[in-house]
């Protein structure tokens, strides 16, 4: 490898800068990130409101101070290259200054338009889409402007570098710029997937394409283009040449000059493209991602949602780094996993990625300000706004220990993916019938069947315990060498070569043969000592009511104007610390007709209500700006909430009730499920106390019957550590002697209970885009989901203290 490095895991946050820059807040959050166990941040203007204006001298001065404070704290610092995404627009400045920088797509149109460069007729076997009739149809190939910048044109990339990167270089102090480790690019692609979308199909296009096509096909290149859409003599070779050219032009137009600028200025170029999940999705977006990885300092991918997915794309990034870089590979991960994501979920996800070779984890994302737009922006906001944020450092430490003590096996098998095979049969209409987020669904075509068979073959290798690296046909041909029966690709060597049946390998590499891979020998696994069969029942007491954060849902009555009602059953005085929390900036607010005194800060507006007593109350407020979703507001304090309708089992491990709720101060039994008992919107850990008697010394404890996200344990007044699912076990810092012991537990509820979306019909769903929060059916929903996915009933995650514990001396 080039410059071999320590491959221990590193953790970063995608720091969503969505509010006015304030050094005190910036520096406080940097310290919080360090304390959470992160190694660095990606400074990511995202819906940045422009105070000070983006890329202005004052903005650069604020960023400069932030960078220097990160340096003081020892946090790595990466600069995101946009305000928003995808990369290349420069917050709209590229097109504003250079209006001819727009992207193009060559679309099929039913009639000739200005600029059309040819036509063809489809009918019969030469159909355009499945089910098309035999009636001849004429299609014209017409360049169309689309809402993106031309990522295939190096001149446009030069404008982007001028307006963003060069301004950072010149506007930051030398010390701050020197400390910036990398620039992060997000979701560049060929331009094919930006709106307005074609009626039927389109292919990547640019003013630079005609000259490049002439090099391949000659002056009459336009005569070849219809073969990208229909079958005819020579169509397979035309398609292969074209899609490999898309990769080359995208590299020449975006990735190579971007990398050159970074290397010239001592920076790493890090990021990921759109559509890396599998070869079929990569093809229209970038051609072959394996070629593009060579032009990133650290190969990277985007892996969102809550559960592990295909091994293909993390393995491909890790393989490319082993072959041609320094062994490190990056993932932007866990975005859209939803507010219900737990430490168990994230630990499982990170271990999946790490065992596939990923080393650098960028958490998507941490909101600088958690207002209503941020709450609905691909949650969760991690780590600062999770209910289990205090467990975050221990969760990362566990992942690091596992990946460091049991690092991924370096593969000895190289798999050649069938990129050319796919190119020969792929037709552009397929993309627009594909799930355009992660391509989990796509039409049944020769190309998709080829792709599915390839992914299935990788699953067979995994099931057999055979670790593998990946490459494409062209990279094997241009960079592979056969030496003493082993294939060397860049810096990596392999004893076994697996060429997918659909792959098209040319030249000397086409006849290479190596020893087929076989499953590795496995030793006898030594199971850890079982816990004692005896369960010690636990009887709990709750010494004080924790804080509920009752999410009160307003009704819009006019632009930026809302009203809401809620019912309380308090005594003459409010519970201590009772307050209203509005997530957003307000013009004013009143309760039962009386004005509220607002305390305004970065975390919204706070107000202390007058004595509420018993009865219904009406809240009226006006917001500074308009929101597509209802603005978030909570009544917070040490009270209980009772629903007037029973709780029943809901979907995806939730409880469901129709409400409505009444706030009171009744005592709650510590036995049984606690959400329905009075803590549906619990905003802080539930503190409970118990005792137990050990018959023998113990060094580990396991808590059974526990429901929640995590628990912090203290025994005999001393901290014992954190535990969470699935096993809820805890290795104690010091063994416990036989005899009686005092137990204190801080049981952490799910963040879902505080933020929702409580009314999503499928409960705590494993992928939450903004659409799930407002109820608009989208790619993340099941195919049979209703068009409006919100229901009147509420969903909550259950919460329950351990019913018993088991102990072990090992």
């Amino acid at each position: 490898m080039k410059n071999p490095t320590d491959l221990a895991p590193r953790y970063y946050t995608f720091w969503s800068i969505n509010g006015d820059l304030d050094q005190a807040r910036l520096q406080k959050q940097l310290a919080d990130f360090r304390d959470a166990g992160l190694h660095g941040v990606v400074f990511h203007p995202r819906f940045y409101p422009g105070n000070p204006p983006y890329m202005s001298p004052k903005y650069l001065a604020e960023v400069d101070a932030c960078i220097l404070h990160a340096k003081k704290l020892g946090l790595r610092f990466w600069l995101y290259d946009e305000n928003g995404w995808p990369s290349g627009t420069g917050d709209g400045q590229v097109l504003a200054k250079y209006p001819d920088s727009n992207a193009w797509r060559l679309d099929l149109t039913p009639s000739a338009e200005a600029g059309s460069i040819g036509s063809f007729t489809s009918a019969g076997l030469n159909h355009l889409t499945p089910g098309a009739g035999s009636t001849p149809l004429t299609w014209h190939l017409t360049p169309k402007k689309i809402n993106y910048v031309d990522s295939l044109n190096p001149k446009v990339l030069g404008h982007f570098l001028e307006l963003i990167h060069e301004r950072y270089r010149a506007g930051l102090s030398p010390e701050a710029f020197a400390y910036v480790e990398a620039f992060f690019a997000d979701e560049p692609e060929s331009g094919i997937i930006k709106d307005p979308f074609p009626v039927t199909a389109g292919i990547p296009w640019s003013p630079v394409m005609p000259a490049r096509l002439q090099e391949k096909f000659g002056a009459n290149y336009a005569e070849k283009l219809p073969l990208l859409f229909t079958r005819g003599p020579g169509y397979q070779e035309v398609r292969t040449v074209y899609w490999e050219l898309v990769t080359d032009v995208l590299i020449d137009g975006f990735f190579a000059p971007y990398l050159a600028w970074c290397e010239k200025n001592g920076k790493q170029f890090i990021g990921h493209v759109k559509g890396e999940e599998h070869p079929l999705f990569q093809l229209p977006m970038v051609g072959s991602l394996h070629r593009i990885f060579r032009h990133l300092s650290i190969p990277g991918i985007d892996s969102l949602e809550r559960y592990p997915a295909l091994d293909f794309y993390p393995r491909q990034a890790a393989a490319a780094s082993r072959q041609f870089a320094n062994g490190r590979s990056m993932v932007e991960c866990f975005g859209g996993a939803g507010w219900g994501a737990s430490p168990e979920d994230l630990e499982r996800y990170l271990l999946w990625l790490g065992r596939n070779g990923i080393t650098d984890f960028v958490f998507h994302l941490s909101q600088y300000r958690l207002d209503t737009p941020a709450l609905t922006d691909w949650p969760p906001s991690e780590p600062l706004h999770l209910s289990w944020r205090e467990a975050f450092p221990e969760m990362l430490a566990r992942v690091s220990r596992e990946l460091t003590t049991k690092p991924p096996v370096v593969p000895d098998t190289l798999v050649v993916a069938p990129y050319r095979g796919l190119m020969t049969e792929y037709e552009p209409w397929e993309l627009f019938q594909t799930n355009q987020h992660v391509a989990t669904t796509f039409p049944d075509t020769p190309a998709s069947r080829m792709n599915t068979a390839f992914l299935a073959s990788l699953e067979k290798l995994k099931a057999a315990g055979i670790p593998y690296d990946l490459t494409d046909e062209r990279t094997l041909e241009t960079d592979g060498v056969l030496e003493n029966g082993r294939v060397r690709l860049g810096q990596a060597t392999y004893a076994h070569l697996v060429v997918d049946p659909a792959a098209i390998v040319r030249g000397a590499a086409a006849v290479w043969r190596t020893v087929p891979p076989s499953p590795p020998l496995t030793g006898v696994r030594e199971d850890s000592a079982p816990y004692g069969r005896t369960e010690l029942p636990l009887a709990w007491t709750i010494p004080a009511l924790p804080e509920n954060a009752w999410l009160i849902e307003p009704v819009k009555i006019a632009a930026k104007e809302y009203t809401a009602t809620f019912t309380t059953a308090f005594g003459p005085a409010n519970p201590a610390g009772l307050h209203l929390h509005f997530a957003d900036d307000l013009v004013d607010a009143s309760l039962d007709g009386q004005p509220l005194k607002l305390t305004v800060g970065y975390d919204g507006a706070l107000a202390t209500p007058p004595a509420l007593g018993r009865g219904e109350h009406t809240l009226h407020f006006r917001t500074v700006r308009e929101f597509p979703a209802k603005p978030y507001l909570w009544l917070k304090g040490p009270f209980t909430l009772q629903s007037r309708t029973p709780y029943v089992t809901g979907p995806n491990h939730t409880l469901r009730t129709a409400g409505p709720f009444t706030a009171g101060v009744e005592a709650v039994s510590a036995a049984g499920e606690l959400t329905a008992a009075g803590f549906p919107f619990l905003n802080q850990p539930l503190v409970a106390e118990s005792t137990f008697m050990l018959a023998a010394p113990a060094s580990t404890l396991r808590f059974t019957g526990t429901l929640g996200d995590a628990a912090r344990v203290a025994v005999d007044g001393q901290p014992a550590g954190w535990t969470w699912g699935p096993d809820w076990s805890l290795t104690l810092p010091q063994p416990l002697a036989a005899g009686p012991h005092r137990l204190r537990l801080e049981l952490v509820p799910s963040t879902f209970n505080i933020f929702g979306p409580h009314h999503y019909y499928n409960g705590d769903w494993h992928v939450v885009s903004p659409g799930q929060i407002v109820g608009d059916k989208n790619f993340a929903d099941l195919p049979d989901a209703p068009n409006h996915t919100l229901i009147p009933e509420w969903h909550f995650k259950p919460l329950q203290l351990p019913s018993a514990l088991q102990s072990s001396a090992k």
Side-chain angles (χ1 to χ4, degrees), residues 19-81:
D20 298 346
L21 298 186
D22 175 84
Q23 281 305 311
R25 186 175 184 83
L26 292 166
Q27 294 181 15
K28 171 65 167 60
Q29 290 194 6
L30 285 170
D32 290 341
F33 293 144
R34 178 200 58 189
D35 294 344
L38 299 180
H39 298 97
V41 300
V42 183
F43 189 85
H44 173 24
R46 182 182 179 95
F47 306 116
Y48 175 64
N51 185 25
Y54 180 64
M55 299 309 296
S56 67
K58 188 173 181 183
Y59 169 90
L60 293 168
E62 296 287 357
V63 175
D64 193 283
C66 184
I67 294 169
L68 294 179
H69 193 73
K71 180 180 180 180
K72 180 179 177 181
L73 296 175
L75 285 171
R76 296 170 180 267
F77 203 96
W78 298 356
L79 280 171
Y80 190 85
D81 63 10

Side-chain angles (χ1 to χ4, degrees), residues 88-269:
T89 70
D91 191 34
Q93 295 179 35
V94 171
L95 282 170
K97 186 173 181 180
Y98 302 102
D100 61 347
S101 297
N102 60 277
W104 296 86
R105 187 177 52 238
L106 194 63
D107 286 357
L108 296 186
T109 57
S111 58
E113 300 180 21
S116 294
I117 61 173
S119 64
F120 64 94
T121 300
S122 65
L125 294 177
N126 197 25
H127 61 64
L128 197 61
T129 60
S134 58
T135 302
L137 295 174
T138 299
W139 298 95
H140 300 263
L141 286 75
T142 305
K144 291 280 191 178
K145 284 187 177 183
I146 56 176
N147 293 321
Y148 189 41
V149 291
D150 190 350
S151 57
L152 306 179
N153 191 337
K155 181 177 71 173
V156 176
L157 191 277
H159 299 330
F160 178 49
L161 294 174
E162 166 207 333
L163 293 172
I164 304 299
H165 300 67
E166 281 296 323
R167 285 161 75 178
Y168 272 124
R169 183 191 63 78
L172 296 175
S173 67
E175 182 183 3
F177 186 73
Y179 191 70
V180 172
E181 189 173 75
F183 279 83
F184 192 104
D186 200 4
E187 297 195 351
E189 44 98 358
S190 65
I192 194 172
I193 204 169
K194 299 300 185 292
D195 64 338
F197 298 111
V199 174
T200 302
I203 56 175
W205 198 247
S206 166
V208 306
M209 286 295 284
R212 300 296 294 269
L213 286 166
Q214 286 185 45
E215 294 172 3
K216 300 292 184 180
F217 296 125
N220 296 326
Y221 70 88
E223 297 175 1
K224 304 285 188 180
L225 296 180
L227 294 176
L228 298 170
F229 301 92
T230 63
R231 287 166 170 77
Y235 77 94
Q236 293 180 320
E237 180 61 21
V238 169
R239 293 179 182 184
T240 302
V241 170
Y242 176 82
W243 288 112
E244 289 190 342
L245 182 61
V246 168
T247 302
D248 294 344
V249 175
L250 187 57
I251 288 171
D252 294 343
F254 190 94
F255 288 94
Y258 201 132
L259 177 63
W261 186 94
C262 287
E263 290 182 338
K264 177 183 176 182
N265 290 282
K267 308 301 171 198
Q268 295 183 69
F269 175 27

Side-chain angles (χ1 to χ4, degrees), residues 51 376 397 453 616 669 703 733 809:
N51 185 25
T376 63
E616 185 176 87
S669 170
F703 299 91

Side-chain angles (χ1 to χ4, degrees), residues 473-721:
E473 303 102 323
R474 192 154 56 132
T475 301
L476 182 70
E477 295 165 5
T478 58
D479 295 273
V481 178
L482 188 64
E483 297 176 335
N484 301 318
R486 294 179 66 91
V487 173
R488 176 168 58 81
L489 189 61
Q491 304 155 135
T493 61
Y494 305 93
H496 314 294
L497 181 67
V498 176
V499 180
D500 188 82
I504 301 172
V505 181
R506 299 167 179 162
V511 296
W512 290 351
R513 296 291 183 268
T514 65
V515 179
S518 57
L521 296 175
T522 57
V524 177
R525 181 176 177 180
E526 181 181 350
D527 291 330
S528 59
Y531 290 94
R533 293 186 178 181
T534 302
E535 285 199 345
L536 304 176
L538 295 172
W540 296 97
T541 60
I542 300 173
L545 288 179
E547 181 179 271
N548 261 316
W550 182 6
L551 183 64
I552 297 173
E553 297 186 321
V555 175
K556 187 174 184 178
I557 57 176
K560 308 178 189 177
E561 189 171 356
Y562 301 86
T563 188
T565 59
F566 60 95
T567 302
T568 61
F570 299 144
N574 290 336
L578 190 74
H579 64 282
L580 286 160
H581 179 186
F582 301 84
D584 309 290
D585 296 328
L586 300 187
V587 176
D588 53 40
S590 63
L591 183 64
D592 296 334
Q594 299 300 312
L596 289 171
K597 182 179 179 180
L598 299 173
T599 302
V600 179
Y602 259 90
D603 294 314
L606 305 177
T608 300
L612 297 175
R614 295 178 174 271
E616 185 176 87
H617 307 279
T618 301
L619 181 68
H620 181 272
F621 64 97
R622 294 187 296 162
T623 57
V624 171
R625 55 177 171 160
E626 196 84 44
F627 305 110
K630 294 177 181 178
Y632 282 68
L633 70 108
W634 303 266
L635 181 67
K636 295 183 176 181
F639 55 80
T640 59
L641 276 170
Q642 302 300 324
S643 175
R644 296 182 201 170
T645 53
Y647 286 82
V648 297
T649 300
N652 291 305
H653 310 290
T654 60
L655 301 172
R656 177 183 285 178
T657 182
F661 303 97
T662 299
V665 289
E666 299 88 350
V668 171
S669 170
E673 200 285 315
L674 296 165
T675 294
F679 302 128
F681 297 96
L682 199 58
N683 190 40
Q684 58 184 211
L686 178 76
V687 177
E689 296 172 346
S690 186
T691 60
F692 62 95
M693 176 74 73
L694 286 178
S699 57
T700 61
L701 300 176
R702 180 171 180 265
F703 299 91
T704 61
T706 313
L707 296 174
D709 271 12
R712 178 156 50 189
V713 181
V715 180
D716 299 330
Q718 298 300 312

Side-chain angles (χ1 to χ4, degrees), residues 141-481:
L141 286 75
T142 305
K144 291 280 191 178
K145 284 187 177 183
I146 56 176
N147 293 321
Y148 189 41
V149 291
D150 190 350
S151 57
L152 306 179
N153 191 337
K155 181 177 71 173
V156 176
L157 191 277
H159 299 330
F160 178 49
L161 294 174
E162 166 207 333
L163 293 172
I164 304 299
H165 300 67
E166 281 296 323
R167 285 161 75 178
Y168 272 124
R169 183 191 63 78
L172 296 175
S173 67
E175 182 183 3
F177 186 73
Y179 191 70
V180 172
E181 189 173 75
F183 279 83
F184 192 104
D186 200 4
E187 297 195 351
E189 44 98 358
S190 65
I192 194 172
I193 204 169
K194 299 300 185 292
D195 64 338
F197 298 111
V199 174
T200 302
I203 56 175
W205 198 247
S206 166
V208 306
M209 286 295 284
R212 300 296 294 269
L213 286 166
Q214 286 185 45
E215 294 172 3
K216 300 292 184 180
F217 296 125
N220 296 326
Y221 70 88
E223 297 175 1
K224 304 285 188 180
L225 296 180
L227 294 176
L228 298 170
F229 301 92
T230 63
R231 287 166 170 77
Y235 77 94
Q236 293 180 320
E237 180 61 21
V238 169
R239 293 179 182 184
T240 302
V241 170
Y242 176 82
W243 288 112
E244 289 190 342
L245 182 61
V246 168
T247 302
D248 294 344
V249 175
L250 187 57
I251 288 171
D252 294 343
F254 190 94
F255 288 94
Y258 201 132
L259 177 63
W261 186 94
C262 287
E263 290 182 338
K264 177 183 176 182
N265 290 282
K267 308 301 171 198
Q268 295 183 69
F269 175 27
I270 298 175
H272 71 91
V273 305
K274 171 69 177 175
E276 61 266 90
E277 282 76 10
H278 51 69
L280 185 69
F281 199 26
Q282 289 180 18
L283 194 156
M285 299 296 179
V286 298
S288 169
L289 181 54
H290 211 77
R291 307 288 294 179
I292 287 171
F293 277 149
R294 302 276 293 274
H295 301 275
L296 288 166
S297 305
I298 297 179
I301 58 170
D302 182 20
S303 185
L304 305 182
E305 306 181 13
R306 189 181 302 181
Y307 297 118
L310 295 173
D311 288 353
F312 168 79
Y313 60 124
R315 279 204 165 270
Q316 185 183 36
S321 188
R322 277 191 285 268
Q323 293 159 1
F324 300 109
N326 65 4
R328 302 202 72 89
S329 51
M330 184 280 301
V331 61
E332 176 191 323
C333 63
F334 216 57
W339 288 113
S342 68
E344 175 187 344
D345 295 324
L346 185 51
E347 181 180 34
R348 177 182 58 241
Y349 204 81
L350 296 178
L351 288 174
W352 164 64
L353 290 163
R355 287 165 179 158
N356 278 305
I358 299 296
T359 60
D360 290 56
F361 304 88
V362 178
F363 299 118
H364 183 294
L365 41 80
S366 186
Q367 300 286 357
Y368 176 64
R369 181 184 183 186
L370 196 67
D371 54 13
T372 290
L375 280 158
T376 63
D377 180 17
W378 291 88
S381 171
E382 50 195 308
L384 302 186
H385 298 107
L386 297 169
S387 60
W388 46 277
R389 54 190 168 273
E390 293 186 39
F392 204 82
E394 175 58 22
M395 186 275 303
L396 294 184
R398 290 191 195 183
V399 171
S400 293
R401 285 194 296 269
E402 176 72 14
L403 294 178
T404 302
T405 58
K406 302 174 185 177
V409 175
V410 176
D412 204 22
T413 296
L414 179 64
V415 176
V416 183
Y419 281 88
R420 281 195 187 129
L422 288 169
M423 291 172 184
T424 63
E425 297 300 330
Y426 184 77
E427 295 180 350
W429 64 265
E430 298 179 38
L431 175 63
F432 300 98
Q433 296 184 26
T434 294
N435 178 311
Q436 294 180 10
H437 175 57
V438 290
T440 49
T441 59
F442 36 77
D444 181 15
T445 66
S448 70
R449 290 191 289 272
M450 195 182 299
N451 186 72
T452 299
F454 166 66
L455 295 176
S457 73
L458 299 184
E459 287 299 310
K460 290 179 180 178
L461 290 175
K462 179 180 179 179
I466 299 171
Y468 58 88
D469 273 350
L470 292 147
T471 189
D472 63 7
E473 303 102 323
R474 192 154 56 132
T475 301
L476 182 70
E477 295 165 5
T478 58
D479 295 273
V481 178

